[in-house]
Amino acid sequence: MTLFPTGLLAAEWTKLRSVRSTPLILAVATVATIAIAVLQARSTVGAWDGWGARARAEFDPVFTIFSGFQVAQLAFGLLGVLAVTAEYGTGTIRATFAAAPRRGRVLAAKLVVLGTVSLVIGQALAFAAFFAGQFVLAGKHLDVTLGDPNVLRAMLGQGFYLGTVTILGAAIGTLLRHTAGATALTTGLLFLSTMVFKAVSPTGSTALIHWAPPAAAEGLTWTTFRDPDWPTAGFALVVCLTYLTVSVTAAAWRLTHRDV
């Protein structure tokens, strides 16, 4: 017996495509991310001659053009939230569980579909932003290639992070079952957690800051310069996997131990 009947996966794929916000969210993420990559690269090329030695030493040709992924991570997190809360908002979740009473399988199928879609699109977006940004940076000979140290790792890491925040958003949506609350919590984790962790950390310590999702994103993306507030790429991967494990486990417990 297969873990996910084909019909269950197909149903989750149909529901994801049927949510009207899905193509809009992905379109906004794509346009904004690539546009910001190009604009950031153009700004760097235009200002390069006026930069000092320190600014030039800290310039990272990959991390710089991935500035637009702050918009993308919010969009992908919202995609995960809405994939779950839209069903609760319309009441169709009852029909889903009537047709597939094993709730754990329903959640797993939803996460498989969401994870696959977000990974594929997120990775494509990472490569598109990279090549667009490097094309502009080449005008000042500041560009790098996929064969340069850490570049391919950063590309794959950024795509993986977008997949992570999508699943995180879906797990939070499953826990809260309310779009506004789940969106607020997801947004807080993606944009405010670093400041909160820094505020409660002992002076000079970065250990707690490294556990903030935004710090993990930065740890996965640097190639030539790493700020002490960013974890190593390996530790950033552990952080992402920890958030995935805890959030999905909590969501599964909530779904299987509570009424709709």
Side-chain angles (χ1 to χ4, degrees):
M1 180 180 294
T2 59
L3 180 59
F4 308 117
T6 303
L8 192 54
L9 291 173
E12 291 302 327
W13 168 238
T14 299
K15 285 188 285 186
L16 181 62
R17 290 187 294 117
S18 300
V19 176
R20 290 179 296 178
S21 58
T22 297
L24 177 61
I25 288 173
L26 295 177
V28 169
T30 299
V31 173
T33 301
I34 296 176
I36 292 174
V38 172
L39 291 173
Q40 189 67 37
R42 285 171 60 92
S43 176
T44 299
V45 168
W48 182 259
D49 290 339
W51 283 13
R54 178 175 178 179
R56 292 189 178 193
E58 294 181 354
F59 170 67
D60 189 319
V62 175
F63 184 83
T64 296
I65 63 156
F66 277 164
S67 300
F69 274 78
Q70 293 186 20
V71 177
Q73 69 172 344
L74 176 59
F76 277 66
L78 184 59
L79 175 67
V81 167
L82 291 176
V84 174
T85 59
E87 282 196 85
Y88 281 97
T90 60
T92 56
I93 191 67
R94 296 182 182 277
T96 296
F97 290 147
R102 300 183 68 173
R103 297 184 177 190
R105 282 194 175 188
V106 173
L107 177 62
K110 186 181 292 292
L111 295 183
V112 167
V113 171
L114 270 174
T116 301
V117 170
S118 59
L119 279 174
V120 171
I121 297 178
Q123 204 62 73
L125 186 54
F127 279 100
F130 172 80
F131 287 119
Q134 298 309 312
F135 178 79
V136 177
L137 290 175
K140 203 70 174 178
H141 305 292
L142 301 174
D143 59 310
V144 294
T145 68
L146 292 176
D148 286 316
N150 299 318
V151 173
L152 184 58
R153 184 265 298 154
M155 301 288 293
L156 297 176
Q158 194 59 254
F160 172 75
Y161 183 73
L162 290 181
T164 296
V165 299
T166 305
I167 298 301
L168 182 61
I172 292 174
T174 303
L175 285 167
L176 300 186
R177 306 181 179 187
H178 189 272
T179 300
T183 299
L185 180 54
T186 301
T187 302
L189 278 174
L190 297 180
F191 291 97
L192 302 178
S193 56
T194 300
M195 291 186 292
V196 173
F197 287 2
K198 183 176 292 188
V200 299
S201 294
T203 303
S205 174
T206 61
L208 185 57
I209 299 172
H210 288 177
W211 282 95
E218 293 162 339
L220 289 170
T221 310
W222 69 271
T223 60
T224 60
F225 173 77
R226 183 174 74 87
D227 189 286
D229 283 349
W230 306 343
T232 62
F235 190 83
L237 179 61
V238 171
V239 171
C240 289
L241 293 176
T242 300
Y243 274 97
L244 285 175
T245 301
V246 173
S247 63
V248 171
T249 300
W253 183 90
R254 160 79 166 167
L255 194 63
T256 56
H257 288 76
R258 298 291 181 88
D259 293 333
V260 175

